[in-house]
Structure formats: C-alpha cells, structure tokens
Amino acid sequence: MSESIDVVITAIRRPDLFALMCASFFGGQLTGAPRFRLIINVDPLGPGTAREVIDIAEGYSDQVVYRCPQQASFSAAINWCFDQLKSELAFHIEDDWLLLEPVEFASLAAELTGNVAQIRLPYRHPLSAPGPYSFRPNLFKVDSVKSALSVPPQEDPEKWFAKSLPADCGKDFGGRALVEDMGRKWAKGQGIRKVGGADWFTARPAGLLAAVDWKIAMYRYRRIAKRWSAKCEY
C-alpha cells in the first residue's frame, strides 16, 4: 500500500459543511486507508473564509495542497485539482457530502478491476450495473480518468467527464446508500440553487420553510459527524 493517497476536494467558503464532511470521511471511517494528501480548491463563494476551510483540512492531514482563486470557476477548480494528482488511486469528495457509516478501503480498491475506472459510494438507490463517470464520492484510477482533462471553461465538469470516458467505467459499491448530499438543503436554506455549466450558484426565492428545514437537517448532520470525530466543532 502506498504511503498516502490523494483526495480531490472542490469546495466553497462554507466551513460548517466542510467540517462535517471531513469529520465523516477522514475521522477514521475509511478504514485501512493510507494517509490522506488533501488537494483542495476553495472558490470565493459562501459565507465563510477560505482560511477557515484550509484550517479545518489541516486538522486532518499534514499534507494539504490548496488553491484559493479570486474568481469562481467549477471547470478551473477541477482542472487544477486533477493536475495535482500523484497517487495511483485517488478519492474525489466534494465538500457537501456526508459519509453515513464505515467503509473498508481495501474492499473499495478491490472493485477497481478491468474497465472499472471508479467505484462510487452510493447515494439513495445503488445501481446494479456499471454506468457513466460521476462526481459522487468515489475512489478512482488516476491514469484512467486523466484523459478527460482539461475541461473547457464553458462545460459542466461532471457532464464532460461522463461523455469523455467510457459509458460503463463507473460502478456503485455495495447495496445500500452510504453517503448523503448536504448541499441541496444548504442551498435552499441560503436562498440559492446550484446550476449547470461552469457556474456554481444562482439566486432563488428563499422561504421560512426552507430555512427551518435546513436547521433541522444541520442538527442531524452534526449528530452523525460527532459520532465519527471529536474534531468536528460545528
């Protein structure tokens, strides 16, 4: 096993979610994994600061490579992060995912055989058959996916990877949901929505129900993350 494994993380300035993600993924639940080398792009969006995000990351790894651009660009973030990769296998975990239960690293890696370039942690209903490349939390073969680079500025990076790589290169792990998306409820609570293309977010009507729903969801996310790591202070 290699001494460390790279982790690509695209993030924005929301340290509360970033802390929950780190606690759930890097607090010991990816059992048997090598040490993590975190590669983080923090785009200038969100209510916090890039420094808060980086400080949290440095609490989980002594190898943190980061970029804090002045202009937000999802495609530029993906291109830069993937250009930094050094390990043969790597994780891709966006800042708004929560790991719900422990996962054994060796079991994930064992699924990366043949034409399978990525093994994904399932969200909702796992797919029984291989499918296109996805940005859901996953372990991937670095050499197999670098052919999708570079993502053109006007393209949605996830769609670009899906159409640039074989249609059956992605596979779900196990038979139940292992991760949860925190970002949708966060965006609704903030009165914004994630959009396609190279942009991140656009405004949408904000309501009291969405704000209350976000507070309830955040309470639940914190309880899950606290089970994993005492480092989670949010």
Side-chain angles (χ1 to χ4, degrees), residues 23-63:
S24 70
F25 279 95
F26 310 132
Q29 303 74 256
L30 290 171
T31 60
R35 292 186 303 120
F36 300 111
R37 175 175 174 262
L38 306 183
I39 302 167
I40 309 169
N41 183 97
V42 187
D43 270 355
L45 299 166
T49 67
R51 186 67 255 175
E52 288 177 297
V53 171
I54 300 306
D55 285 346
I56 293 167
E58 290 177 341
Y60 288 90
S61 173
D62 60 359
Q63 300 181 76

Side-chain angles (χ1 to χ4, degrees), residues 118-152:
Q118 71 165 181
I119 182 72
R120 303 179 297 240
L121 298 179
Y123 168 61
R124 293 182 179 170
H125 306 295
L127 300 175
S128 58
Y133 200 89
S134 168
F135 279 11
R136 281 186 284 125
N138 69 89
L139 180 70
F140 65 94
K141 300 176 184 176
V142 172
D143 286 346
S144 296
V145 306
K146 276 202 166 183
S147 61
L149 299 177
S150 292
V151 182

Side-chain angles (χ1 to χ4, degrees), residues 67-105:
R67 171 179 179 264
C68 304
Q70 295 299 309
Q71 182 175 354
S73 170
F74 193 16
S75 56
I78 288 294
N79 288 334
W80 180 83
C81 285
F82 276 76
D83 279 343
Q84 312 310 308
L85 290 169
K86 295 181 179 180
S87 57
E88 293 181 3
L89 302 180
F91 282 106
H92 183 183
I93 307 168
E94 294 177 328
D95 69 340
D96 54 2
W97 287 99
L98 192 71
L99 182 61
L100 300 176
E101 59 184 84
V103 175
E104 185 180 14
F105 174 80

Side-chain angles (χ1 to χ4, degrees), residues 174-186:
R176 62 188 183 280
L178 294 173
V179 294
E180 185 167 338
D181 177 10
M182 300 181 287
R184 293 181 184 275
K185 289 185 181 294
W186 178 87

